[in-house]
Amino acid sequence: MAAKNVLGMIFSNAYDEALPELTALRTMGSIPFAGRYRLIDFPLSNMVNAGIQKVGVITKSNYRSLMDHIGNGKAWDLSRKREGMTILPPYNSTETGAFKDKVDSLYGSIDYLRHADKDLVLCTDCNVVSTIDYDAIIKAHTASNADVTLAYTNGIPPKMRAATELVMDAQGKVTACRGIDCYSSAISYSLKIMVISRTLLERLLHEAHSAGQTSFEQIIASNLQFLNVYGYEVGGFVRVLSSLGSYYEANLALLDRANRNLLFDPERPVFTKVRDEVPAVYGLNARVSNSLIADGCKIEGEVENSILFRGVTVAKGAKIKDSILMQNTYIGENVSLASVILDKSVVVKPNKMLCGAQNYPVYVGKGIVI
Amino acid sequence: MAIKPECIAMLLAGGQGSRLGILTKSIAKPAVPYGGKYRIIDFPLSNCVNSGIDTVGVLTQYQPLELNDYIGNGQSWDLDRANGGVHILSPYQQIKGTEWYKGTANAIYQNINFIERYDPEYVLILSGDHIYKMDYSKMLDYHKEKNADCTIAMLEVPWEEASRFGLMLVNEDGSISEFEEKPKNPRSNKASMGVYIFTWEKLRAYLIADEAKEGSSNDFGHDVIPAMHEAGERMFAYQFDGYWKDVGTINSLWDANLDLLNPKVDLDLNDDSWKIYSKSPTAPPHYIGSAAKVENSMITEGCEIEGNIDFSVLFANVTVEEGAEVRYSIVMPGTVIKKGAVVQYAIVAEDAVIEPGAVVGESPENMADINDWGVAVVGNGVTVGKGAKVAPKAMVDTDIGGAE
């Protein structure tokens, strides 16, 4: 398997600022998603399903929830004597401090890269939700004799910092990377998933570090004429989380069976931490339609077009519509909720009403009692 | 040397559970699925871990493949330990020949060497047939406090059912004065739960003596415990009050599952201080469709529900299509119930397919003679054809063709 020779690197904090509400107390990688997952489950499971056996997870801040979630990597079979998963928190030396950006954080982990004993490195962020066949990207990279392969998808690009359009020739060779100024038509935009040879990565990092460059994407873009950079198109269910609105949309999109079948392919399971919850229990007058419900939920009210994470309680007479309720939220009797996102352990006391709009969901922070 | 365990557990998991019929055709009884995401053996194993007993021998004999696979290294129950942990103990070849486990006592006798390796003070003997949550450490405290040689967990059963159990007559100080095995006219309603704590030194001597005795059936209930009682050893009963159910028959397995839907039944699986651990499937949350109606039921990960579910327990990855009805039933992992099919008062095992319009089981109210009624059972991987019928009480373990 080609992937045996690949080191996986995951940036758990990249684009934290795109979702300030959800990352106030956690990393991008530990944002809850789709009822029982955290965002890092998708790249980690993609790596494991491709046969990648050595993975470094780079973090810089708020990473307690991330460490709690991934632990020693057991849930992904990455708790190994040989290889396995390593968390790479900021490493203070005279030259590096708290990681400011990707170049900094990769440079801070350069010893880890060097000692990984792999020819290729696959780098990814956590804000792309998709079941991607990394093995196919690695094979394409080798087949095209590329220096760098960038994964992209075709569609309306996300509105976020450093979004990049890839311009390619007929062979898929990238001829230009450019910023995006139009968000109304479909283009090929980068998913910031990259396969690169380890020695080239090290060299580019040394150069960038001494030149004071901070954006890794820019280094690639400015070296296009010297490097063989190829694009690899990713299809299927792809969502780039760039705002609270896109987070809301990406979750609710999974109520569509076609999307669910694309993201949850039984051949490529998405692994996550086990919580040992009981199955969900439906009470006498429960009315649930078009919703995803996780284990540990207790439902006696009405739930429609919503996603309930593990351990949510919905009391009698409560009505929930178009909402995302995270782990252990408690909804009291006769509460009415529409278009809301409740973070973990929120309590809504009886008879309260909370209503957002479909294009602007109301967000309630972790542990708040209403 | 690591810390020596005070008490280790030996879990008898070799039984076939023949009264469960086709459900135990290819798996041992302790591996039978229960409660949406558990297997019966999760209960004694979780009880052990929660009680602080971290060395458990699991004695297997009948169809052990699935059970061995399920237990693995014990990680699901935190029993993957450097010192202790869970050990699968199958019969093995010895210099004097090979022997199957002849009885419960003989199974322990054949593993005396295993127990000696840990050199415990006490041994807890469990079976893998019951659904209950119990703190064995309290029972051990009682055993020590009474300075007992053998303590038997007992619970009070309804008098009218007492004659189905092994009963004990108990003195005021908790000591046992007499045993009665399934008597016609019970004098007590204190039934043995099949949970024993022995002081190891004593048990060891009695096991060796029992093995040497000719004509012995090498069974705890029949031989070892009566022998200890006769010899005047200190035998005590430890009262348990809580939910306890033997799931040895189709009806009791069905009942025990539906008990989970009854808020009056004292079996809380959601108690954080006493979790029941299991090996979880890797599946997304379950989906309830727009046309679905789900009430009074338990549903777990990976299910796709478009039909109507009432008073039922659904295991992982079950699909129920639009217009299908599932009532008072247990549906095990991976089964598909197609459009317009009806599953009622039934247990459907793993990966079965119920084709459109098929009817499995019958409501007791619709029976001309209630004695003909019983829970219908569809075996592993069986297809019930289009419009076909499975009668109440029937057990189906081969495909049934369509009704056309």
Side-chain angles (χ1 to χ4, degrees), chain A residues 103-288:
Chain A
V103 171
D104 238 18
S105 59
L106 274 173
Y107 192 76
S109 308
I110 206 150
D111 280 349
Y112 178 76
L113 288 174
R114 197 177 297 140
H115 293 140
D117 193 27
K118 303 282 179 189
D119 291 342
L120 297 174
V121 182
L122 187 149
C123 301
T124 178
D125 304 323
C126 288
N127 65 327
V128 176
V129 177
S130 186
T131 296
I132 304 174
D133 184 352
Y134 287 172
D135 195 41
I137 304 183
I138 294 158
K139 285 195 176 113
H141 176 85
T142 315
S144 63
N145 223 355
D147 296 314
V148 179
T149 300
L150 294 171
Y152 68 92
T153 195
N154 201 274
I156 306 282
K159 277 188 189 163
M160 64 191 303
R161 177 175 67 87
T164 320
E165 177 181 3
L166 298 186
V167 183
M168 286 160 287
D169 65 15
Q171 279 72 47
K173 188 168 189 291
V174 178
T175 54
C177 298
R178 56 182 182 222
I180 294 165
D181 46 17
C182 168
Y183 293 96
S184 54
S185 54
I187 55 161
S188 296
Y189 63 90
S190 169
L191 295 173
K192 318 271 177 188
I193 298 169
M194 176 177 72
V195 177
I196 184 170
S197 96
R198 182 176 56 86
T199 45
L200 175 64
L201 177 64
E202 281 180 37
R203 204 185 74 213
L204 291 175
L205 282 173
H206 280 297
E207 281 174 20
H209 187 73
S210 48
Q213 277 176 297
T214 55
S215 159
F216 198 77
E217 280 81 16
Q218 225 141 51
I219 301 166
I220 305 282
S222 58
N223 279 296
L224 278 178
Q225 69 270 38
F226 309 113
L227 298 171
N228 262 329
V229 180
Y230 279 81
Y232 179 92
E233 184 169 6
V234 171
F237 181 85
V238 181
R239 290 292 190 280
V240 179
L241 305 183
S242 56
S243 63
L244 195 63
S246 66
Y247 171 81
Y248 179 68
E249 189 279 333
N251 269 285
L252 294 187
L254 293 172
L255 297 178
D256 184 330
R257 168 163 297 133
N259 288 336
R260 224 162 38 242
N261 289 344
L262 287 169
L263 188 62
F264 300 115
D265 174 357
E267 300 294 313
R268 302 183 164 277
V270 184
F271 301 98
T272 189
K273 183 185 171 191
V274 171
R275 282 232 320 174
D276 288 292
E277 293 274 8
V278 292
V281 178
Y282 292 79
L284 188 61
N285 292 308
R287 286 284 171 280
V288 179

Side-chain angles (χ1 to χ4, degrees), chain A residues 34 36-37 74 255 257 260 270 275-284 286-293 295, chain B residues 35 37-38 75 269 275 277-278 282-290 294-301 304:
Chain A
R36 75 187 290 249
Y37 302 98
K74 191 105 204 169
L255 297 178
R257 168 163 297 133
R260 224 162 38 242
V270 184
R275 282 232 320 174
D276 288 292
E277 293 274 8
V278 292
V281 178
Y282 292 79
L284 188 61
R287 286 284 171 280
V288 179
S289 76
N290 194 35
S291 295
L292 278 173
I293 314 285
D295 276 2
Chain B
K37 63 188 297 188
Y38 309 96
Q75 195 231 327
L269 299 182
K275 269 200 175 180
Y277 302 99
S278 67
T282 300
H286 65 268
Y287 173 76
I288 308 286
S290 303
V294 181
E295 282 182 296
N296 311 309
S297 292
M298 251 181 155
I299 300 185
T300 189
E301 277 148 5
E304 295 269 335

Side-chain angles (χ1 to χ4, degrees), chain A residues 7-85:
Chain A
L7 168 70
M9 292 294 272
I10 299 178
F11 301 97
S12 66
N13 284 96
Y15 307 109
D16 275 359
E17 71 286 353
L19 292 161
E21 301 89 348
L22 295 169
T23 56
L25 296 167
R26 53 170 82 90
T27 64
M28 178 64 87
S30 44
I31 290 177
F33 190 82
R36 75 187 290 249
Y37 302 98
R38 304 279 184 145
L39 291 180
I40 198 169
D41 293 344
F42 295 93
L44 258 185
S45 302
N46 286 339
M47 286 182 180
V48 171
N49 288 329
I52 294 177
Q53 300 184 0
K54 190 173 175 72
V55 180
V57 178
I58 293 182
T59 77
K60 62 170 184 187
S61 54
N62 291 349
Y63 51 83
R64 206 174 291 170
S65 62
L66 184 83
M67 292 182 66
D68 177 53
H69 181 68
I70 56 183
N72 61 0
K74 191 105 204 169
W76 298 266
D77 261 348
L78 286 173
S79 164
R80 308 274 187 95
K81 285 192 177 174
R82 282 172 57 97
E83 315 201 310
M85 191 201 66

